[in-house]
Amino acid sequence: MDLNSAFNNMTWLVLSFLLLLGCQKSLSQQSSEAQKEEDANEDSTVFTRILDGLLDGYDNRLRPGLGENVTEIKTNIFVTSFGPVSDTEMEYTIDVFFRQSWKDERLCFKGPMEMLPLNNLLASNIWTPDTFFLNGKKSIAHNMTTPNKLLRLKDDGTLLYTMRLTISAECPMQLEDFPMDAHACPLKFGSYAYPVSEVVYTWTQGAAKSVVVAEDGSRLNQYHLIGQTADTEDIRTSRGQYTVMMAHFYLKRKIGYFVIQTYMPCFMTVILSQVSFWLNRESVPARTVFGVTTVLTMTTLSISARNSLPKVAYATAMDWFIAVCYAFVFSALIEFATVNYFTKRSWAWDGKKALEAQHPKKRDPMVLSKKANNVCSAGVNYTPNLTKDVSISTISNTTSVQLRGSESKLVDPKKTYNSVSKIDKMSRIVFPVLFGTFNLVYWATYLNREPMVKGVIAST
């Protein structure tokens, strides 16, 4: 009995000890959570006090270091999407994260954190750079679902201000080498109101690494984005000297579309126009159709090729190719007109003779004898010893021999209607050789020409 009571007492003591441990642990957890909440409330209170203290008496109309030193704005660009590029408008569209960093000593603070992640609403209460894009036609700051802006403040007063922008900017193009051309599209930005004596711009990580394009950022169908560079220049105006930051994006046009749509049809049209040289010169309808059809086709191709280009006053490489092809096609038509002209002149007489030779008329021997008798009687003096019948028979035989000789001379087996003109024979060789030589010179000149842009870093 004593053993059972002792065992029960021990069990009760163990259970009580375990219960006390569980209660103590739950109490410690609750106290730690309460302590964290209290610390967070204290931190938020501290941050609120810090921000209220920073903005107390802060004038966002005045730049940092006014009257003491120059404000330095450090910038860099991360391109998330590049393109499309419009040839007719000579502009391009780019989607970027535009980052700016500067130091404002009025915003220095002391607190539990070295950097404060702030809401974009604070940006309207502090001084921010008046950056604008010199060659921008249209810029959009994204506001869905909230303004796409980021603001960070360090304890030493350094601010990081990031925005997401979509910019449509000008891209001057020289299209003499179109469609084997390359272009450098600039993006220029700087301060709108502050000259270099007040605000200067620099690249955050140097010119080589401050402009970065995402690997899948190209949205181009007709171009290759082969590289980008960054630079800085100072420009002078009537209001002073200003710093301008420049980023150049280098583009090389893809030629495949134009080979399929323009070059191959022009090439085939020229070949088709030269088929007429192998037709008989008497096939006037067929050769006329070849000539007129190919000329009209080249006219249509030349008009459609210009639709995708701005109305520039100079000739492009494609214009030269189309013009030469047009000249070959038109020359083939002129060649047929020349052949037809000389054919009509020569066969107006020779062709009639050939018909008479192939279908000689049956002559009446009595008519021939009478005609011969009249001729002979007019030009021959008869002797008394020669009878009239003998003389008539002799002259008739002589005349028949002469007629047979003249008829034999009229029949020329070489004269047929399926003859080939010497001009056609020469054209069959000269035209293809000249067109082939032109193609060799044309493609060797433009494909081996160096791009008109410099400083390309990357290449595909």
Side-chain angles (χ1 to χ4, degrees):
M1 191 70 182
D2 293 335
L3 291 174
N4 290 331
S5 62
F7 180 76
N8 291 331
N9 290 332
M10 289 296 294
T11 304
W12 174 253
L13 289 174
V14 171
L15 292 174
S16 300
F17 180 75
L18 293 175
L19 183 62
L20 289 174
L21 287 177
C23 292
Q24 184 178 2
K25 185 178 291 185
S26 62
L27 289 174
S28 62
Q29 289 179 354
Q30 292 177 358
S31 62
S32 62
E33 291 177 358
Q35 184 66 29
K36 289 180 179 179
E37 291 180 358
E38 184 178 357
D39 293 340
N41 292 331
E42 290 181 358
D43 290 341
S44 62
T45 303
V46 170
F47 293 147
T48 302
R49 291 176 180 176
I50 290 174
L51 292 177
D52 291 340
L54 292 176
L55 297 177
D56 187 16
Y58 185 92
D59 192 350
N60 60 1
R61 297 172 297 177
L62 303 177
R63 69 172 181 84
L66 179 64
E68 298 179 359
N69 51 26
V70 178
T71 304
E72 181 183 9
I73 312 297
K74 296 181 179 180
T75 60
N76 64 75
I77 298 174
F78 181 79
V79 180
T80 59
S81 174
F82 189 94
V85 178
S86 174
D87 294 331
T88 55
E89 300 295 333
M90 288 193 179
E91 67 178 18
Y92 68 98
T93 303
I94 185 172
D95 194 353
V96 300
F97 290 131
F98 185 66
R99 304 187 181 106
Q100 300 177 95
S101 177
W102 68 96
K103 188 173 183 180
D104 193 344
E105 295 180 353
R106 296 173 294 178
L107 298 178
C108 295
F109 68 93
K110 291 182 180 180
M113 296 178 65
E114 294 184 357
M115 178 177 291
L116 291 178
L118 303 176
N119 190 278
N120 62 83
L121 297 177
L122 186 63
S124 60
N125 297 324
I126 62 174
W127 181 90
T128 54
D130 59 340
T131 306
F132 82 109
F133 294 91
L134 277 73
N135 63 329
K137 290 186 175 181
K138 182 180 179 181
S139 300
I140 300 174
H142 294 263
N143 295 318
M144 294 298 294
T145 56
T146 60
N148 298 171
K149 298 179 181 179
L150 178 145
L151 186 63
R152 297 287 184 269
L153 175 63
K154 290 186 178 181
D155 55 1
D156 62 349
T158 302
L159 292 111
L160 174 63
Y161 188 40
T162 301
M163 297 178 290
R164 183 191 172 201
L165 304 174
T166 297
I167 306 165
S168 296
E170 295 178 351
C171 181
M173 296 181 179
Q174 297 297 326
L175 301 172
E176 287 88 353
D177 295 340
F178 174 86
M180 284 79 69
D181 52 342
H183 305 285
C185 294
L187 182 64
K188 301 178 181 180
F189 60 91
S191 174
Y192 186 81
Y194 295 104
V196 293
S197 58
E198 298 185 41
V199 173
V200 295
Y201 284 79
T202 59
W203 294 108
T204 304
Q205 300 175 347
K209 299 181 180 180
S210 295
V211 180
V212 180
V213 180
E215 294 182 357
D216 58 344
S218 178
R219 299 291 184 271
L220 302 172
N221 294 324
Q222 292 189 17
Y223 290 93
H224 289 292
L225 180 61
I226 59 178
Q228 66 277 345
T229 59
D231 198 2
T232 305
E233 71 172 0
D234 293 336
I235 61 173
R236 294 184 178 274
T237 65
S238 58
R239 296 171 295 172
Q241 184 176 355
Y242 294 84
T243 301
V244 176
M245 310 296 286
M246 296 187 302
H248 285 90
F249 301 93
Y250 297 96
L251 306 176
K252 184 72 173 67
R253 194 184 300 272
K254 301 176 183 177
I255 195 176
Y257 171 82
F258 302 97
V259 170
I260 297 173
Q261 293 294 323
T262 303
Y263 283 99
M264 288 302 297
C266 289
F267 186 84
M268 298 304 295
T269 303
V270 174
I271 298 300
L272 183 62
S273 68
Q274 296 178 6
V275 172
S276 63
F277 301 152
W278 299 86
L279 300 179
N280 298 327
R281 57 181 176 178
E282 295 83 15
S283 303
V284 176
R287 297 189 66 165
T288 303
V289 169
F290 269 106
V292 175
T293 303
T294 52
V295 168
L296 294 177
T297 303
M298 285 303 307
T299 304
T300 304
L301 289 173
S302 63
I303 294 174
S304 62
R306 272 283 184 173
N307 291 335
S308 60
L309 287 178
K311 295 178 175 60
V312 294
Y314 50 83
T316 64
M318 181 180 288
D319 292 335
W320 288 116
F321 187 87
I322 294 175
V324 173
C325 291
Y326 195 96
F328 272 97
V329 171
F330 192 76
S331 299
L333 183 60
I334 298 299
E335 187 270 350
F336 165 65
T338 304
V339 170
N340 188 62
Y341 174 76
F342 287 108
T343 299
K344 292 296 183 181
R345 291 196 63 182
S346 61
W347 279 81
W349 176 250
D350 294 342
K352 185 177 179 180
K353 285 186 176 181
L355 281 174
E356 293 179 353
Q358 292 177 2
H359 303 284
K361 295 181 180 180
K362 295 182 179 180
R363 290 176 171 81
D364 191 356
M366 294 298 296
V367 175
L368 289 176
S369 62
K370 291 181 179 179
K371 183 177 180 181
N373 187 15
N374 295 334
V375 172
C376 295
S377 61
V380 178
N381 293 324
Y382 294 99
T383 59
N385 297 327
L386 186 62
T387 62
K388 186 176 180 180
D389 295 335
V390 175
S391 61
I392 291 175
S393 61
T394 304
I395 294 173
S396 298
N397 293 333
T398 306
T399 305
S400 61
V401 172
Q402 292 177 354
L403 289 175
R404 292 192 192 97
S406 62
E407 289 178 0
S408 63
K409 291 180 181 179
L410 290 176
V411 180
D412 189 356
K414 295 183 180 180
K415 288 185 179 294
T416 60
Y417 283 101
N418 293 328
S419 60
V420 179
S421 173
K422 293 182 179 179
I423 301 177
D424 282 340
K425 291 181 179 180
M426 294 176 59
S427 300
R428 292 174 185 176
I429 300 174
V430 173
F431 273 73
V433 170
L434 289 179
F435 189 63
T437 304
F438 162 72
N439 276 275
L440 290 176
V441 174
Y442 179 87
W443 294 108
T445 300
Y446 284 103
L447 293 181
N448 294 330
R449 181 174 294 182
E450 292 295 328
M452 300 300 292
V453 294
K454 299 179 181 180
V456 179
I457 297 176
S459 60
T460 55

